Amino acid sequence: MTARAADRARYDRATAHLDAPLAIVDLDAFDANADDLVRRAGGKPVRVASKSVRCRALLERVLAKDGFSGVMSYTLAESLWLARSGFEDVLLAYPSADRAGYAELTSDPKLAAAVTVMVDDPAQLALIDAARDGGREVVRVCLELDTSLRLLGGRVRVGARRSPLHSPAEVAELARSVARRPGFEVVGIMAYEGHVAGVGDAVAGRPVRSRAIRLMQAAARRELAERRAAVVRAVRAVVPGLEFVNGGGTGSVQYTVAEDAVTEVAAGSGLYLPRLFDNYTSFHGRPAALFAQPVVRRPGVGVVTVLGGGYPASGAAGRDRLPVPYLPEGLRYDPQEGAGEVQTPLLGSPADDLLIGDKVWFRHAKAGELCERFDALHLVEGDRVTATVPTYRGEGRTFL
């Protein structure tokens, strides 16, 4: 029996009493992935990205481990909710226009002490001030650096379109703007190198493309390390008491922590290990989060149909954004139908061994987005479900 077949047998036994659709997290794999992130971080703290987890119980589990410290959140409403729930260090990774949230943040000393907001434009400071509604608490601010690699005099740009702040001078000038403005304090710098951390460099069947990605990423790492160090020096000249410099992601942890300027790294997807993180030469983890759909039809030889399953991930549309049939091994989508909202035909010889009501296990393309489809995660240890915990959705929290 292969390792994957053994996992399927375990998952089927563990959930035999549960009807699909359902989602599980294999805690042995989850913990092993967490340990690997800590190992790759080399002693620097790992801030867990809540967007990739979206379950308070699992956020608490990973933060209880040595090597993890703090949460990187994705909306202001989520940040405030987590802070009210007892999370004491929440870094909001994206600028917000949530006026009601800012009014609450600036009126509550506990929230203001726990939450750090992201800024890359003086207009965002003005929006926060206009939203204060009498709130006088000092707002903790993190400045975001654009990490994109610019080539040929800027005519070629590689990387996500995030912050407009690219040079040390631009980041330092915003730091001065914050310092001059009452009610704000710069406490950190963030730089997310998504073109390194979130792009696999070993694309199956694409050796030339994989080689090109590795060359691009090596150049991007060299350029960013030099520029990030210069940015930190420039900002520390304005803000000597800077508390943290955050960088990286699951796919770049060991490279990012090698920079002296970086004090912590962020990671989250590596805990669940969705399919988009299969194509890396720098690390290998264990799939921990899966969902099961029930077989409801057997249309013919080599075909079964499962209920639902059409859960595409965000990003540029493509086959890599679809979930992948995982267990039993050897199933594939019908190219004429793909992953459907209410039914999904699956082809392959393993279909002939599946009965009505059997479970087919899938892996989502991205990590936390799975939790927008399910209100609970069944936590599996060995061949038993040892707990069932709510996702954000299960707690009535859909922040985006």
Side-chain angles (χ1 to χ4, degrees), residues 296-344:
V296 293
R297 286 177 170 161
R298 292 170 49 88
V301 175
V303 186
V304 292
T305 301
V306 299
L307 183 71
Y311 306 154
S314 61
R319 292 180 62 186
D320 65 338
R321 301 291 149 165
L322 294 177
V324 61
Y326 184 60
L327 301 170
E329 298 179 66
L331 293 173
R332 65 186 187 278
Y333 291 123
D334 181 336
Q336 301 301 315
E337 296 196 47
E341 180 188 12
V342 292
Q343 73 162 35
T344 298

Side-chain angles (χ1 to χ4, degrees), residues 5-368:
D7 283 341
R8 180 195 175 201
R10 287 196 300 114
Y11 300 150
D12 282 347
R13 286 195 299 270
T15 62
H17 62 296
L18 299 171
D19 288 333
L22 58 83
I24 66 166
V25 170
D26 182 333
L27 289 181
D28 291 337
F30 181 90
D31 289 343
N33 291 339
D35 292 343
D36 186 64
L37 287 170
V38 171
R39 177 190 63 79
R40 290 197 286 136
K44 291 186 178 179
V46 180
R47 185 181 290 273
V48 61
S50 64
K51 181 174 74 73
S52 300
V53 179
R54 303 193 203 195
C55 170
R56 280 200 299 170
L58 289 176
L59 288 174
E60 290 167 353
R61 182 184 184 91
V62 74
L63 286 171
K65 294 178 174 292
D66 291 340
F68 285 87
S69 180
V71 174
M72 177 175 282
S73 59
Y74 60 98
T75 73
L76 181 55
E78 179 212 13
S79 305
L80 300 177
W81 178 62
L82 290 175
R84 287 194 299 270
S85 302
F87 293 83
E88 297 179 347
D89 179 6
V90 182
L91 169 62
L92 174 57
Y94 305 87
S96 177
D98 181 353
R99 292 175 173 82
Y102 282 130
E104 184 177 358
L105 176 70
T106 57
S107 299
D108 187 317
K110 177 184 175 182
L111 297 180
V115 175
T116 301
V117 305
M118 195 62 60
V119 168
D120 58 32
D121 189 315
Q124 295 155 354
L125 302 174
L127 185 148
I128 295 171
D129 268 341
R132 282 179 180 271
D133 193 26
R136 297 181 178 276
E137 295 299 323
V138 172
V139 176
R140 292 168 53 85
V141 168
C142 180
L143 308 179
E144 182 169 2
L145 168 68
D146 169 40
T147 64
S148 64
L149 176 64
R150 298 181 182 181
L151 305 170
L152 301 177
R155 293 191 295 276
V156 175
R157 181 183 185 281
V158 181
R161 296 184 181 275
R162 293 174 62 110
S163 170
L165 307 175
H166 190 78
S167 71
E170 290 170 334
V171 184
E173 179 54 35
L174 182 57
R176 281 189 285 271
S177 295
V178 176
R180 289 193 296 263
R181 196 169 190 125
F184 295 90
E185 179 186 12
V186 174
V187 297
I189 298 171
M190 187 190 87
Y192 172 57
E193 52 267 45
H195 48 302
V196 178
V199 177
D201 62 352
V203 184
R206 304 287 296 277
V208 175
R209 177 176 173 79
S210 298
R211 175 64 175 165
I213 291 172
R214 287 194 288 272
L215 289 172
M216 175 276 291
Q217 290 180 339
R221 292 197 303 267
R222 288 192 299 270
E223 185 277 336
L224 179 59
E226 181 178 337
R227 181 160 52 91
R228 179 154 41 198
V231 166
V232 173
R233 288 193 298 270
V235 172
R236 286 195 186 279
V238 180
V239 186
L242 198 67
E243 295 178 15
F244 65 86
V245 177
N246 178 281
T250 288
S252 71
V253 167
Q254 66 270 33
Y255 303 120
T256 305
V257 297
E259 299 179 32
D260 291 338
V262 173
T263 66
E264 64 174 42
V265 290
S269 293
L271 297 168
Y272 287 169
L273 203 76
R275 65 168 295 199
L276 282 179
F277 285 83
D278 287 346
N279 302 322
Y280 285 78
T281 58
S282 59
F283 77 100
H284 300 281
R286 294 170 54 186
L290 301 96
F291 67 93
Q293 303 295 119
V295 174
V296 293
R297 286 177 170 161
R298 292 170 49 88
V301 175
V303 186
V304 292
T305 301
V306 299
L307 183 71
Y311 306 154
S314 61
R319 292 180 62 186
D320 65 338
R321 301 291 149 165
L322 294 177
V324 61
Y326 184 60
L327 301 170
E329 298 179 66
L331 293 173
R332 65 186 187 278
Y333 291 123
D334 181 336
Q336 301 301 315
E337 296 196 47
E341 180 188 12
V342 292
Q343 73 162 35
T344 298
L346 297 171
L347 312 180
S349 58
D352 295 329
D353 296 323
L354 291 168
L355 304 176
I356 300 296
D358 283 353
K359 296 180 176 77
V360 174
W361 296 90
F362 293 76
R363 293 172 65 203
H364 203 275
K366 297 182 79 172

